Amino acid sequence: MALVLSLLMALVLVSYGPGGSLGCDLSKNHVLVGRKNLRFLGQMGKLSPRFCLQERKDFAFPQEMVEGGQLQEAQAISVLHEMLQQSFNLFHTERSSDAWNTTLLEKLRTGLHQQLDHLDSCLVQVTGEKGSALGRMGPTVAVKRYFQGIRVYLQEKGYSNCAWEIVRMEIRRSLSSSVSLQERLRMMDGDLSSP
């Protein structure tokens, strides 16, 4: 019975868009933009991370939920969207401009915005009316809590340069996971769209 339901679901998804794909193809370019964002984050550091070791904190990144293979496509897109949206919001705070090279910061913001624009339409296509419900479920809520912890940390540390450096390293970790998730989504879509 489960196999029949899986096959029916695959048929429904295959019929969604042109060429038999979901109409939400995470192109290679989308993944490349994610990798560029990681590079920009790597270049943004002004302080040596060793200088800020005393400020380290475990933000409890929900790696198992994000990288675990149990996420269905709609959930994975919802989690990815949430991670990118929260990162975009974080680097758009007023105080983030003081901590970074403005050229690199603007490139990062632009890259995150490009990814979000593409994922906005993907989220609607893949989740339909369930989109808002997915935002209130396990993995997406875990991502929201994770970023809330980062914002609280920055406030507690007075948005110091060291606090931003610790956050930069942490966001590199989460965006690295998001690139892995994007690659997995591309494979899921490719599996559905290949004959």
Side-chain angles (χ1 to χ4, degrees), residues 173-188:
R173 178 178 166 207
S174 69
L175 286 183
S176 178
S177 289
S178 80
V179 168
S180 297
L181 184 57
Q182 290 169 51
E183 289 170 344
R184 204 169 86 231
L185 282 165
R186 281 191 68 227
M187 288 189 300
M188 290 170 95

Side-chain angles (χ1 to χ4, degrees), residues 4-149:
V4 172
L5 286 174
S6 295
L7 289 173
L8 285 173
M9 181 58 117
L11 285 172
V12 168
L13 292 175
V14 165
S15 67
Y16 250 60
S21 74
L22 292 170
C24 177
D25 178 32
L26 288 182
S27 67
K28 188 174 186 176
N29 186 47
H30 188 82
V31 175
L32 290 175
V33 171
R35 288 188 183 136
K36 280 184 185 176
N37 289 340
L38 280 173
R39 243 189 340 270
F40 295 143
L41 265 175
Q43 296 169 354
M44 283 169 60
K46 287 184 176 178
L47 299 173
S48 167
R50 291 183 300 204
F51 180 71
C52 299
L53 287 177
Q54 75 280 3
E55 302 291 329
R56 280 187 308 178
K57 176 180 171 75
D58 180 6
F59 293 101
F61 178 66
Q63 189 162 359
E64 180 84 18
M65 288 184 139
V66 172
E67 292 181 359
Q70 70 274 15
L71 287 179
Q72 298 299 318
E73 185 176 28
Q75 268 187 318
I77 289 175
S78 178
V79 165
L80 178 58
H81 187 275
E82 190 64 35
M83 288 175 69
L84 294 172
Q85 183 66 60
Q86 292 286 343
S87 297
F88 181 80
N89 293 347
L90 189 64
F91 287 106
H92 255 79
T93 61
E94 223 175 276
R95 302 213 180 159
S96 69
S97 297
D98 298 338
W100 311 116
N101 171 302
T102 53
T103 303
L104 289 171
L105 179 61
E106 201 50 46
K107 287 180 180 181
L108 175 65
R109 288 173 175 171
T110 300
L112 289 169
H113 189 264
Q114 286 174 343
Q115 289 184 292
L116 282 167
D117 273 353
H118 184 257
L119 278 176
D120 283 341
S121 60
C122 276
L123 194 58
V124 170
Q125 289 176 26
V126 173
T127 62
E129 293 176 14
K130 297 183 293 184
S132 60
L134 280 173
R136 296 186 301 266
M137 295 177 80
T140 306
V141 169
V143 169
K144 287 179 183 179
R145 281 192 204 123
Y146 164 73
F147 277 94
Q148 179 59 32

